Amino acid sequence: MSGPLSPERLPALRRRIQAVLITTQILGGLGIATGVALAAVLAKEVSGTEALSGLASTASVAGPALLAMPLASLMSTRGRRAGLVLAYLVGAVGAGVAVLGAVLDSFPVLLVGLVGFGAGSSANLAARFAAADLAEPDRRARSISTVVWATTIGAVLGPNIAAPAGESVAGLGIPVAAGPFVWASGVFVISALVVALLLRPDPLLTARALAGPEEDAAAEGRSLKAGLRAVRESSRAKLALVTVAGSHTAMVSIMSMTPVALSHHGADIRLIGLVISGHIAGMYAFSPVMGWLSDRLGRLSVIGLAVALIAVAALLAGTAGPSHGQTALGLFVLGLGWSAGLVSGSALLTDSVPQAARAAVQGLSDFIMNTAAGVGGLAAGLIVSTVGYGWLNAVGACLLVPMALLALRGAVRRDAVRRA
């Protein structure tokens, strides 16, 4: 940043940073969704067993979980730009390794590649916090939701180009289901270049500079230890972590096995792509509404909405059977619930901890979220292979209980404070 940033220049800087983040969200969403659409199918083809297909989702979310804390540490010291570039590049390499695993018909190599591929979603998840760095407090949820919304374009398009992506590599000796990962690798490289060249000045470093020299120099407050302390001292931060982790785990567990469940009832690759596209539209397209509600009605109200939506989604999808339309509706509502939980939880988390500790706490949030979702993805394949897809949805609904109880307790405390 050349020279001090005057208040007059701040709105223009916010718009420019948001434009860059929106661009990379579109690209990153395209890369992630193109691969995710067929990850479980590819894992089933390579492993030869449905029971292991859930490992595709587990590996994809293991990448963000493993990268979350190193990424948070890097961002804390060098800013958002360095972390986002690293995440996209790791995602590009991982997608290439996944293709290699498919060509070699090696399930272990495929899983290693999917772990790296998942790092691309680390960048897209971290971008929502970059959008909040310079946002005004009463517009923080809307800033987060706008960047989340931008993923809609790439994420909805991604599953629908899975088929042409597969066909494009058919003559190269690459399995059709691995074609989307070839395209994803290239998209991640482009995303890294956009961030490296255009995300200037760095939003996190700029926010610290604007907070004053004392805050900018408070390196000891940026450590993981400081982040853990900040969470322990804030009941609202704990609720935010449970909300983000719970809604994400329920979504990943159910969504990851839906393509397999649809294939059991005769759905082809194009229909599966359409269902997943609808689900992703629910995840991202309505996030500005969730941001507006979160800023206007409060974070707790939207957390309650997330619980209700995910519960309804689990009921719809879990009882759909051969009805592809009901499954599609359930997955769409599931996406809406995830959006409500992610936007409100992310805004509440940012509200609840000191500025110096935010990057560390946000990294901790993504670590917990993706670790829990990884376990959920692993369990999902086992549940579906033993007792069925309906029971998977029932288990997913049970994950909402801690989230609902903490939100209710928070609402009771808030009302008691208001009456006092």
Side-chain angles (χ1 to χ4, degrees), residues 280-336:
I280 295 174
M283 289 173 66
Y284 299 115
F286 296 89
S287 58
V289 176
M290 302 305 177
W292 182 82
L293 289 173
S294 188
D295 283 336
R296 292 295 299 271
L297 303 180
R299 319 305 192 210
L300 294 179
S301 297
V302 181
I303 290 173
L305 176 62
V307 171
L309 287 170
I310 296 173
V312 169
L315 177 63
L316 287 170
T319 59
S323 173
H324 296 154
Q326 185 174 329
T327 301
L329 177 61
L331 266 287
F332 174 73
V333 176
L334 180 66
L336 290 177

Side-chain angles (χ1 to χ4, degrees), residues 6-394:
S6 65
E8 293 76 16
R9 292 172 55 198
L10 190 54
L13 177 59
R14 287 186 181 123
R15 288 193 296 271
R16 185 157 61 81
I17 287 175
Q18 189 170 73
V20 174
L21 293 173
I22 286 172
T23 300
T24 57
Q25 287 293 97
I26 293 172
L27 292 170
L30 177 63
I32 294 163
T34 302
V36 165
L38 290 182
V41 174
L42 181 60
K44 181 181 177 181
E45 287 183 4
V46 175
S47 69
T49 173
E50 184 177 290
L52 293 178
S53 60
L55 285 175
S57 173
T58 301
S60 295
V61 296
L66 292 172
L67 196 61
M69 296 317 298
L71 205 60
S73 178
L74 180 62
M75 289 182 177
S76 291
T77 56
R78 298 188 58 186
R80 300 291 186 191
R81 185 169 61 251
L84 293 176
V85 168
L86 174 64
Y88 279 129
L89 291 180
V90 172
V93 172
V97 173
V99 173
L100 178 63
V103 171
L104 299 176
D105 201 29
S106 171
F107 191 60
V109 173
L110 172 65
L111 289 182
V112 170
L114 290 175
V115 170
F117 167 76
S121 64
S122 289
N124 272 36
L125 288 170
R128 76 191 192 277
F129 291 125
D133 286 332
L134 294 172
E136 298 164 301
D138 62 347
R139 295 187 61 85
R140 189 167 283 148
R142 274 169 281 187
S143 295
I144 292 171
S145 66
T146 299
V147 171
V148 172
W149 167 85
T151 313
T152 308
I153 300 171
V156 172
L157 181 61
N160 289 294
I161 66 172
E167 293 164 2
S168 71
V169 301
L172 303 176
I174 298 174
V176 170
F181 292 95
V182 176
W183 288 29
S185 183
V187 169
F188 285 153
V189 170
I190 295 171
S191 299
L193 288 173
V194 171
V195 171
L197 296 174
L198 300 179
L199 194 64
R200 299 174 182 273
D202 188 280
L204 179 60
L205 301 183
T206 303
R208 286 180 183 159
L210 290 172
E214 295 83 5
E215 185 69 43
D216 194 31
E220 68 280 357
R222 302 173 197 159
S223 66
L224 175 59
K225 183 178 180 180
L228 290 170
R229 182 169 62 250
V231 171
R232 283 198 304 268
E233 294 172 354
S234 172
S235 59
R236 288 166 63 83
K238 293 173 187 173
L239 169 59
L241 288 177
V242 170
T243 296
V244 172
S247 57
H248 189 63
T249 303
M251 185 277 290
V252 169
S253 301
I254 294 171
M255 181 273 292
S256 65
M257 295 309 297
T258 298
V260 175
L262 285 169
S263 68
H264 284 168
H265 295 290
D268 61 15
I269 185 173
R270 295 185 186 276
L271 179 57
I272 291 171
L274 286 172
V275 172
I276 297 301
S277 290
H279 166 66
I280 295 174
M283 289 173 66
Y284 299 115
F286 296 89
S287 58
V289 176
M290 302 305 177
W292 182 82
L293 289 173
S294 188
D295 283 336
R296 292 295 299 271
L297 303 180
R299 319 305 192 210
L300 294 179
S301 297
V302 181
I303 290 173
L305 176 62
V307 171
L309 287 170
I310 296 173
V312 169
L315 177 63
L316 287 170
T319 59
S323 173
H324 296 154
Q326 185 174 329
T327 301
L329 177 61
L331 266 287
F332 174 73
V333 176
L334 180 66
L336 290 177
W338 176 88
S339 179
L342 185 78
V343 170
S344 59
S346 299
L348 181 62
L349 185 67
T350 304
D351 294 341
S352 304
V353 297
Q355 207 283 337
R358 281 178 187 167
V361 172
Q362 290 160 353
L364 177 65
S365 170
D366 284 350
F367 170 75
I368 293 173
M369 174 178 74
N370 286 297
T371 299
V375 174
L378 174 61
L382 297 175
I383 292 171
V384 170
S385 65
T386 53
V387 294
Y389 181 68
W391 278 103
L392 171 63
N393 282 270

